Every structure is written in C-alpha cells, then in structure tokens.
Amino acid sequence: MDPFALYKISYGLYIVSSLKGDHLNGQIANTVTQVTAEPIQVTIALNKLNLTHDYVRESGVFSASILSQTAPMSLIGQFGFKTGRDINKFEGVAYRIGETGAPILTEHSVAFIEAEVVSELDVGTHTIFTGKVIDSQKLNDHEPMTYAYYHQIKGGKSPKNAPTYIKEESSEFGGEKYRCKVCGYTYDPKVGDPERGIAPGTSFSELPEDWKCPTCSAAKSEFGQCGKYKCKVCGYVYDPKAGDPDAGVSAGTPFIDVPDDWKCPICQAPKSEFEKEE
C-alpha cells in the first residue's frame, strides 16, 4: 500500500474551537465536512489527546473558522503546534463569541460555521463529532486555504496528532545543491560541471577553491546552500524557493542567508534548530 496516495484527497484548513466554562480553546483541523443538507450537518475529526476534543465533548458545541490563504504561519503554529494546556491560544487573536458560546476568528478566515453536537463516533485515535449547524456566515471574498496550499506554498507540515499525519521516510541523499547569489545558477552535484572538469557526483565542498560560476564567473564564496531545511521541533520546512515573506525573507533566499535571529514561523524555534532535509 502507498500511504502517500492519501495526499491526493482534498482538504481545507480550519480552526475548530469550543469552550469549557469560561475557558476557550481551538486547534487546527483539516477534516471538516458537510454530510447532509436537510438538516445541514457537518462532521469534525479530533484527536482524543487534544484539549479541544475534551471541550467539544463536554460543551456539546463547536465552531469551525475557515482559514484564508492570508493566514500567517504564526497563527497556524499557535493553534496547531502548541497546547491550550500551556497557553491561551486566543491571546492576541481577533475573535468574537458566537451563538453557541464558542469563539469565532474574525481575521484570516473567510467564513465560519457553528454547530451543536448530535452524535459522536469512536474511530480509535480520534472521535468523529457530527454537529447540526445553527449558524454560518461568509466574512469576505478571500480565497480559502486548502491543505495542498498549506503544504506546497506555505511549506507547512501535519502535526503528529492530525488524522492525516503520515511519517515521512528519509530519501537517499544525492548531494546538496548550491545557488549563486549573483546570477541564480544552481550547482547540482549530480550533474557536476563537466565543461570545467568537474565530474558528476562531486559535492560542492570538493570543488576547487578557484572554481567559478559557469554563468557569471562569480567566486565559489558567492554560493549559498539552496536545499530545504526542516525544523527539528515542529517539522516545518524552510524552502528557499518560497522564503518566508511574512517575516521579510524574500523568495529565493538560501537558508544560509536567512538572518540569524529568524525563527520558525510555526513554533518560533531559533534558526539553530533547523537541519538539512535529506
């Protein structure tokens, strides 16, 4: 069986929220689905270890804020990679209280749904809650964030408690690519530079110190690592092609050129907590 075939299933990205007394909590979810039209009902799947799961079960209500593509990674990190047992996830977040008492995001979401739980189904690690929708509203015309957009454009990863989490196996490492900071040429060890006597399979570190960029003749010192780097804390992957525009790091910036005080946009881990993705 190929588990990565499951990546072809389409999902959205949501913040599912609920309450317990005076306490509010929410989490990132990608499994929010409308299942009936009359009455309008939706299902959500929550990991039993998550605090939001307990809040939904006890209160019998939940909201689902449909995230916009404008949602910053810091917001996703706060609700997806941190626990409400340690922090107030809604601190610094724009929200309002809905008809059910559950919080609803008013920024970085395109619409919301509120529902009352009518049934639940135990599916092992998760519980599927079915809710009758009692309120919903479109907030703006922004594009909703899909799970594919989160992975491919934002460079995001699935939390280990997500129902769609699949452990990624390391692939065979064929050598690290380096990009010329002057012209953008990429040195690929698999290809080498045969025109200058550099055989395929030659790593960048093995290149002669007087080797120069084949395109613009820039010195070897003008090259930077252009591979992806993964956060050891939360799994976020920094992709030089995308950069981190929310933090002022433009697309095309090699990891080596990212400022030393830059932090993971998901969990705020320092740059030193990143390692080359193989």
Side-chain angles (χ1 to χ4, degrees):
M1 184 179 73
D2 179 8
F4 292 98
L6 299 175
Y7 281 163
K8 299 302 181 181
I9 300 175
S10 297
Y11 302 94
L13 206 62
Y14 317 90
I15 290 182
V16 172
S17 305
S18 192
L19 70 156
K20 181 179 180 181
D22 295 331
H23 298 283
L24 306 176
N25 199 61
Q27 67 164 77
I28 291 293
N30 66 343
T31 47
V32 177
T33 307
Q34 181 179 347
V35 291
T36 61
E38 293 183 8
I40 301 175
Q41 296 183 110
V42 297
T43 60
I44 58 173
L46 302 180
N47 192 292
K48 294 176 182 178
L49 299 178
N50 291 354
L51 186 63
T52 304
H53 174 280
D54 297 342
Y55 280 24
V56 171
R57 171 168 281 175
E58 181 162 328
S59 69
V61 300
F62 63 85
S63 67
S65 297
I66 304 169
L67 291 182
S68 163
Q69 289 182 0
T70 64
M73 292 298 281
S74 57
L75 178 70
I76 297 173
Q78 182 157 326
F79 281 89
F81 290 88
K82 297 180 181 179
T83 173
R85 296 181 177 91
D86 297 332
I87 67 168
N88 173 10
K89 291 190 180 184
F90 283 91
E91 183 176 354
V93 176
Y95 71 94
R96 69 176 177 83
I97 301 300
E99 290 187 21
T100 63
I104 297 165
L105 268 69
T106 55
E107 284 186 348
H108 304 303
S109 60
V110 300
F112 71 85
I113 299 166
E114 281 192 272
E116 295 177 342
V117 176
V118 295
S119 68
E120 61 178 74
L121 176 65
D122 188 325
V123 289
T125 58
H126 289 66
T127 299
I128 297 177
F129 295 97
T130 300
K132 179 180 178 181
V133 175
I134 64 168
D135 192 23
S136 62
Q137 184 179 337
K138 175 183 173 181
L139 301 177
N140 53 60
D141 291 320
H142 296 166
E143 286 295 318
M145 188 184 302
T146 63
Y147 211 43
Y149 186 94
Y150 168 65
H151 280 285
Q152 298 168 10
I153 306 301
K154 294 281 193 177
K157 291 294 180 180
S158 303
K160 290 186 177 180
N161 283 353
T164 53
Y165 174 76
I166 296 176
K167 183 177 181 180
E168 297 182 5
E169 301 293 338
S170 297
S171 59
E172 184 177 351
F173 183 47
E176 188 170 353
K177 298 179 182 179
Y178 278 70
R179 179 177 290 119
C180 177
K181 303 175 188 177
V182 178
C183 72
Y185 165 83
T186 298
Y187 175 79
D188 185 347
K190 292 181 181 179
V191 178
D193 183 10
E195 293 184 3
R196 288 160 183 76
I198 308 299
T202 304
S203 68
F204 188 80
S205 62
E206 295 173 329
L207 292 175
E209 291 305 314
D210 60 355
W211 177 85
K212 294 182 179 181
C213 173
T215 299
C216 69
S217 297
K220 183 181 176 182
S221 60
E222 291 297 324
F223 279 69
Q225 298 164 319
C226 62
K228 298 179 181 179
Y229 279 72
K230 178 184 290 185
C231 176
K232 294 183 284 186
V233 178
C234 72
Y236 166 81
V237 175
Y238 175 82
D239 184 350
K241 292 182 180 179
D244 182 10
D246 290 340
V249 180
S250 60
T253 303
F255 187 77
I256 194 172
D257 290 336
V258 172
D260 290 336
D261 59 355
W262 176 84
K263 294 182 179 181
C264 173
I266 291 287
C267 69
Q268 300 301 301
K271 184 180 177 183
S272 59
E273 288 296 323
F274 278 70
E275 61 185 1
K276 182 73 173 62
E277 186 179 48
E278 300 184 357

